Amino acid sequence: MARALVPGSFDPVTNGHLDIIERAAALFDSVLVAVARNSAKTPLFTLEERIEMLTEVCAPWPNVQVDSFEGLLVHYAREQEAVIIVKGLRAVSDFEYELQMALMNRKLSSAVETVFLMTGAEHSYLSSSIVKEIARLGGSVEGLVPQSVGQRLQQRLGSPQTGK
Ligand code: PNS
């Protein structure tokens, strides 16, 4: 059984992340969405909130589970018996950083392979940071995040509209 990890900060999960998770769920038997506990960034949402939001929006896919990890991703992959890391690539600007991480992860563990999925064109401009900035500045995040996430952004930051 091929188990894949979809790791990230998910602060918060966007429709771009969901596109990648849904497509990973169609490709692999089991998908574990791995929320990084120790992000260098100061998150807007706590780890528990990020897991809660992801668990809710990933509910339609029975082979997708949500968990958190701390420390090296390859150690977590070994612990979870996952041999594939799935990452989304939005633009050329993502490539250099993602290549560095993929090569370093392979150096750390040759048993783990990183697979890249090209983000859908409609999500290529989307990131959690941009969504937070829009919400913070009072713009609409409709169509950018699931409705339940939009509501949480509204509660936290006062964004006027939600969507999807
Ligand atoms: O959503 P993000 O913030 O781009 O996710 C980055 C993440 C969490 C996938 C990455 O920082 C990571 O894998 N962190 C775990 C620590 C680790 O294994 N670092 C070495 C990677 S080369």
Side-chain angles (χ1 to χ4, degrees):
M1 186 171 95
R3 169 175 265 193
L5 295 183
V6 181
S9 304
F10 302 105
D11 184 42
V13 56
T14 67
N15 288 344
H17 291 130
L18 283 186
D19 172 46
I20 297 296
I21 294 167
E22 180 175 20
R23 285 158 57 202
L27 286 171
F28 302 103
D29 300 315
S30 158
V31 170
L32 198 49
V33 179
V35 187
R37 184 182 287 269
N38 270 351
S39 172
K41 311 156 192 168
T42 307
L44 175 67
F45 293 102
T46 65
L47 179 69
E48 290 69 28
E49 288 172 322
R50 286 178 278 149
I51 291 174
E52 223 174 87
M53 285 186 272
L54 272 162
T55 304
E56 195 182 317
V57 296
C58 291
W61 306 301
N63 61 334
V64 176
Q65 263 101 47
V66 182
D67 191 19
S68 63
F69 75 101
E70 203 165 9
L72 285 179
L73 183 60
V74 290
H75 289 169
Y76 177 71
R78 192 191 306 149
E79 200 183 291
Q80 294 297 327
E81 297 181 352
V83 290
I84 297 149
I85 295 170
V86 177
K87 301 296 291 281
L89 268 189
R90 285 167 301 194
V92 179
S93 51
D94 280 346
F95 181 76
E96 212 170 320
Y97 176 63
E98 292 295 344
L99 176 71
Q100 186 185 19
M101 276 209 286
L103 293 179
M104 185 52 77
N105 280 332
R106 177 132 41 99
K107 168 92 180 138
L108 292 168
S109 171
S110 56
V112 182
E113 197 66 66
T114 302
V115 169
F116 291 101
L117 296 181
M118 299 305 147
T119 300
E122 69 276 31
H123 301 123
S124 59
Y125 57 91
L126 190 50
S127 73
S128 297
S129 311
I130 278 191
V131 164
K132 283 182 282 189
E133 182 167 330
I134 292 167
R136 202 171 275 130
L137 298 174
S140 168
V141 294
E142 184 168 356
L144 307 180
V145 293
Q147 201 169 8
S148 56
V149 174
Q151 280 158 3
R152 289 211 194 216
L153 277 165
Q154 187 178 19
Q155 283 160 10
R156 185 97 6 131
L157 298 170
S159 158
Q161 287 175 51
T162 59
K164 193 180 176 183

mmCIF file with all atom_site columns, all heavy atoms in Angstrom, residues 2-15:
data_model
loop_
_atom_site.group_PDB
_atom_site.id
_atom_site.type_symbol
_atom_site.label_atom_id
_atom_site.label_alt_id
_atom_site.label_comp_id
_atom_site.label_asym_id
_atom_site.label_entity_id
_atom_site.label_seq_id
_atom_site.pdbx_PDB_ins_code
_atom_site.Cartn_x
_atom_site.Cartn_y
_atom_site.Cartn_z
_atom_site.occupancy
_atom_site.B_iso_or_equiv
_atom_site.pdbx_formal_charge
_atom_site.auth_seq_id
_atom_site.auth_comp_id
_atom_site.auth_asym_id
_atom_site.auth_atom_id
_atom_site.pdbx_PDB_model_num
ATOM 1   N N   . ALA A 1 2  ? 0.697   2.108  -1.010 1.00 0.00 ? 2  ALA A N   1
ATOM 2   C CA  . ALA A 1 2  ? 1.519   3.317  -1.091 1.00 0.00 ? 2  ALA A CA  1
ATOM 3   C C   . ALA A 1 2  ? 0.915   4.436  -0.249 1.00 0.00 ? 2  ALA A C   1
ATOM 4   O O   . ALA A 1 2  ? -0.219  4.859  -0.470 1.00 0.00 ? 2  ALA A O   1
ATOM 5   C CB  . ALA A 1 2  ? 1.630   3.765  -2.540 1.00 0.00 ? 2  ALA A CB  1
ATOM 6   N N   . ARG A 1 3  ? 1.694   4.857  0.739  1.00 0.00 ? 3  ARG A N   1
ATOM 7   C CA  . ARG A 1 3  ? 1.226   5.947  1.595  1.00 0.00 ? 3  ARG A CA  1
ATOM 8   C C   . ARG A 1 3  ? 2.031   7.207  1.288  1.00 0.00 ? 3  ARG A C   1
ATOM 9   O O   . ARG A 1 3  ? 3.262   7.168  1.266  1.00 0.00 ? 3  ARG A O   1
ATOM 10  C CB  . ARG A 1 3  ? 1.392   5.546  3.059  1.00 0.00 ? 3  ARG A CB  1
ATOM 11  C CG  . ARG A 1 3  ? 1.192   6.698  4.005  1.00 0.00 ? 3  ARG A CG  1
ATOM 12  C CD  . ARG A 1 3  ? 1.252   6.256  5.431  1.00 0.00 ? 3  ARG A CD  1
ATOM 13  N NE  . ARG A 1 3  ? -0.087  5.989  5.926  1.00 0.00 ? 3  ARG A NE  1
ATOM 14  C CZ  . ARG A 1 3  ? -0.371  5.833  7.210  1.00 0.00 ? 3  ARG A CZ  1
ATOM 15  N NH1 . ARG A 1 3  ? 0.587   5.860  8.106  1.00 0.00 ? 3  ARG A NH1 1
ATOM 16  N NH2 . ARG A 1 3  ? -1.591  5.623  7.605  1.00 0.00 ? 3  ARG A NH2 1
ATOM 17  N N   . ALA A 1 4  ? 1.325   8.304  1.059  1.00 0.00 ? 4  ALA A N   1
ATOM 18  C CA  . ALA A 1 4  ? 1.996   9.564  0.729  1.00 0.00 ? 4  ALA A CA  1
ATOM 19  C C   . ALA A 1 4  ? 1.749   10.600 1.820  1.00 0.00 ? 4  ALA A C   1
ATOM 20  O O   . ALA A 1 4  ? 0.680   10.627 2.430  1.00 0.00 ? 4  ALA A O   1
ATOM 21  C CB  . ALA A 1 4  ? 1.467   10.093 -0.601 1.00 0.00 ? 4  ALA A CB  1
ATOM 22  N N   . LEU A 1 5  ? 2.758   11.432 2.037  1.00 0.00 ? 5  LEU A N   1
ATOM 23  C CA  . LEU A 1 5  ? 2.615   12.558 2.961  1.00 0.00 ? 5  LEU A CA  1
ATOM 24  C C   . LEU A 1 5  ? 2.402   13.830 2.157  1.00 0.00 ? 5  LEU A C   1
ATOM 25  O O   . LEU A 1 5  ? 3.074   14.037 1.149  1.00 0.00 ? 5  LEU A O   1
ATOM 26  C CB  . LEU A 1 5  ? 3.894   12.758 3.779  1.00 0.00 ? 5  LEU A CB  1
ATOM 27  C CG  . LEU A 1 5  ? 4.353   11.689 4.750  1.00 0.00 ? 5  LEU A CG  1
ATOM 28  C CD1 . LEU A 1 5  ? 5.610   12.186 5.471  1.00 0.00 ? 5  LEU A CD1 1
ATOM 29  C CD2 . LEU A 1 5  ? 3.260   11.357 5.750  1.00 0.00 ? 5  LEU A CD2 1
ATOM 30  N N   . VAL A 1 6  ? 1.483   14.664 2.607  1.00 0.00 ? 6  VAL A N   1
ATOM 31  C CA  . VAL A 1 6  ? 1.373   16.021 2.057  1.00 0.00 ? 6  VAL A CA  1
ATOM 32  C C   . VAL A 1 6  ? 1.695   16.958 3.226  1.00 0.00 ? 6  VAL A C   1
ATOM 33  O O   . VAL A 1 6  ? 0.837   17.229 4.067  1.00 0.00 ? 6  VAL A O   1
ATOM 34  C CB  . VAL A 1 6  ? -0.041  16.311 1.479  1.00 0.00 ? 6  VAL A CB  1
ATOM 35  C CG1 . VAL A 1 6  ? -0.097  17.730 0.908  1.00 0.00 ? 6  VAL A CG1 1
ATOM 36  C CG2 . VAL A 1 6  ? -0.414  15.293 0.402  1.00 0.00 ? 6  VAL A CG2 1
ATOM 37  N N   . PRO A 1 7  ? 2.956   17.403 3.318  1.00 0.00 ? 7  PRO A N   1
ATOM 38  C CA  . PRO A 1 7  ? 3.338   18.223 4.476  1.00 0.00 ? 7  PRO A CA  1
ATOM 39  C C   . PRO A 1 7  ? 3.152   19.716 4.218  1.00 0.00 ? 7  PRO A C   1
ATOM 40  O O   . PRO A 1 7  ? 3.105   20.165 3.074  1.00 0.00 ? 7  PRO A O   1
ATOM 41  C CB  . PRO A 1 7  ? 4.833   17.913 4.602  1.00 0.00 ? 7  PRO A CB  1
ATOM 42  C CG  . PRO A 1 7  ? 5.273   17.706 3.186  1.00 0.00 ? 7  PRO A CG  1
ATOM 43  C CD  . PRO A 1 7  ? 4.097   17.148 2.422  1.00 0.00 ? 7  PRO A CD  1
ATOM 44  N N   . GLY A 1 8  ? 3.054   20.470 5.300  1.00 0.00 ? 8  GLY A N   1
ATOM 45  C CA  . GLY A 1 8  ? 2.966   21.918 5.147  1.00 0.00 ? 8  GLY A CA  1
ATOM 46  C C   . GLY A 1 8  ? 2.618   22.594 6.451  1.00 0.00 ? 8  GLY A C   1
ATOM 47  O O   . GLY A 1 8  ? 2.402   21.934 7.470  1.00 0.00 ? 8  GLY A O   1
ATOM 48  N N   . SER A 1 9  ? 2.579   23.921 6.396  1.00 0.00 ? 9  SER A N   1
ATOM 49  C CA  . SER A 1 9  ? 2.184   24.697 7.571  1.00 0.00 ? 9  SER A CA  1
ATOM 50  C C   . SER A 1 9  ? 0.668   24.835 7.634  1.00 0.00 ? 9  SER A C   1
ATOM 51  O O   . SER A 1 9  ? 0.082   24.914 8.710  1.00 0.00 ? 9  SER A O   1
ATOM 52  C CB  . SER A 1 9  ? 2.809   26.093 7.520  1.00 0.00 ? 9  SER A CB  1
ATOM 53  O OG  . SER A 1 9  ? 4.207   25.999 7.397  1.00 0.00 ? 9  SER A OG  1
ATOM 54  N N   . PHE A 1 10 ? 0.035   24.942 6.476  1.00 0.00 ? 10 PHE A N   1
ATOM 55  C CA  . PHE A 1 10 ? -1.425  25.035 6.371  1.00 0.00 ? 10 PHE A CA  1
ATOM 56  C C   . PHE A 1 10 ? -1.986  26.111 7.316  1.00 0.00 ? 10 PHE A C   1
ATOM 57  O O   . PHE A 1 10 ? -2.881  25.840 8.118  1.00 0.00 ? 10 PHE A O   1
ATOM 58  C CB  . PHE A 1 10 ? -2.081  23.681 6.659  1.00 0.00 ? 10 PHE A CB  1
ATOM 59  C CG  . PHE A 1 10 ? -1.608  22.577 5.744  1.00 0.00 ? 10 PHE A CG  1
ATOM 60  C CD1 . PHE A 1 10 ? -0.726  21.610 6.195  1.00 0.00 ? 10 PHE A CD1 1
ATOM 61  C CD2 . PHE A 1 10 ? -2.033  22.529 4.424  1.00 0.00 ? 10 PHE A CD2 1
ATOM 62  C CE1 . PHE A 1 10 ? -0.271  20.603 5.359  1.00 0.00 ? 10 PHE A CE1 1
ATOM 63  C CE2 . PHE A 1 10 ? -1.594  21.509 3.570  1.00 0.00 ? 10 PHE A CE2 1
ATOM 64  C CZ  . PHE A 1 10 ? -0.713  20.550 4.049  1.00 0.00 ? 10 PHE A CZ  1
ATOM 65  N N   . ASP A 1 11 ? -1.451  27.313 7.197  1.00 0.00 ? 11 ASP A N   1
ATOM 66  C CA  . ASP A 1 11 ? -1.844  28.400 8.120  1.00 0.00 ? 11 ASP A CA  1
ATOM 67  C C   . ASP A 1 11 ? -2.514  29.544 7.375  1.00 0.00 ? 11 ASP A C   1
ATOM 68  O O   . ASP A 1 11 ? -1.917  30.609 7.243  1.00 0.00 ? 11 ASP A O   1
ATOM 69  C CB  . ASP A 1 11 ? -0.604  28.895 8.880  1.00 0.00 ? 11 ASP A CB  1
ATOM 70  C CG  . ASP A 1 11 ? -0.957  29.939 9.921  1.00 0.00 ? 11 ASP A CG  1
ATOM 71  O OD1 . ASP A 1 11 ? -1.976  29.750 10.609 1.00 0.00 ? 11 ASP A OD1 1
ATOM 72  O OD2 . ASP A 1 11 ? -0.245  30.940 10.049 1.00 0.00 ? 11 ASP A OD2 1
ATOM 73  N N   . PRO A 1 12 ? -3.746  29.389 6.888  1.00 0.00 ? 12 PRO A N   1
ATOM 74  C CA  . PRO A 1 12 ? -4.600  28.213 6.955  1.00 0.00 ? 12 PRO A CA  1
ATOM 75  C C   . PRO A 1 12 ? -4.561  27.444 5.639  1.00 0.00 ? 12 PRO A C   1
ATOM 76  O O   . PRO A 1 12 ? -3.925  27.880 4.679  1.00 0.00 ? 12 PRO A O   1
ATOM 77  C CB  . PRO A 1 12 ? -5.994  28.837 7.140  1.00 0.00 ? 12 PRO A CB  1
ATOM 78  C CG  . PRO A 1 12 ? -5.910  30.083 6.273  1.00 0.00 ? 12 PRO A CG  1
ATOM 79  C CD  . PRO A 1 12 ? -4.488  30.557 6.356  1.00 0.00 ? 12 PRO A CD  1
ATOM 80  N N   . VAL A 1 13 ? -5.295  26.307 5.609  1.00 0.00 ? 13 VAL A N   1
ATOM 81  C CA  . VAL A 1 13 ? -5.430  25.535 4.375  1.00 0.00 ? 13 VAL A CA  1
ATOM 82  C C   . VAL A 1 13 ? -6.172  26.394 3.344  1.00 0.00 ? 13 VAL A C   1
ATOM 83  O O   . VAL A 1 13 ? -7.113  27.107 3.673  1.00 0.00 ? 13 VAL A O   1
ATOM 84  C CB  . VAL A 1 13 ? -6.179  24.197 4.641  1.00 0.00 ? 13 VAL A CB  1
ATOM 85  C CG1 . VAL A 1 13 ? -7.541  24.406 5.273  1.00 0.00 ? 13 VAL A CG1 1
ATOM 86  C CG2 . VAL A 1 13 ? -6.301  23.372 3.362  1.00 0.00 ? 13 VAL A CG2 1
ATOM 87  N N   . THR A 1 14 ? -5.683  26.349 2.104  1.00 0.00 ? 14 THR A N   1
ATOM 88  C CA  . THR A 1 14 ? -6.325  27.115 1.013  1.00 0.00 ? 14 THR A CA  1
ATOM 89  C C   . THR A 1 14 ? -6.923  26.134 -0.004 1.00 0.00 ? 14 THR A C   1
ATOM 90  O O   . THR A 1 14 ? -6.659  24.923 0.057  1.00 0.00 ? 14 THR A O   1
ATOM 91  C CB  . THR A 1 14 ? -5.294  27.985 0.258  1.00 0.00 ? 14 THR A CB  1
ATOM 92  O OG1 . THR A 1 14 ? -4.393  27.101 -0.437 1.00 0.00 ? 14 THR A OG1 1
ATOM 93  C CG2 . THR A 1 14 ? -4.513  28.903 1.200  1.00 0.00 ? 14 THR A CG2 1
ATOM 94  N N   . ASN A 1 15 ? -7.658  26.674 -0.967 1.00 0.00 ? 15 ASN A N   1
ATOM 95  C CA  . ASN A 1 15 ? -8.199  25.821 -2.024 1.00 0.00 ? 15 ASN A CA  1
ATOM 96  C C   . ASN A 1 15 ? -7.075  25.233 -2.886 1.00 0.00 ? 15 ASN A C   1
ATOM 97  O O   . ASN A 1 15 ? -7.251  24.197 -3.504 1.00 0.00 ? 15 ASN A O   1
ATOM 98  C CB  . ASN A 1 15 ? -9.181  26.614 -2.888 1.00 0.00 ? 15 ASN A CB  1
ATOM 99  C CG  . ASN A 1 15 ? -10.476 26.889 -2.142 1.00 0.00 ? 15 ASN A CG  1
ATOM 100 O OD1 . ASN A 1 15 ? -10.761 26.256 -1.119 1.00 0.00 ? 15 ASN A OD1 1
ATOM 101 N ND2 . ASN A 1 15 ? -11.267 27.835 -2.628 1.00 0.00 ? 15 ASN A ND2 1
#
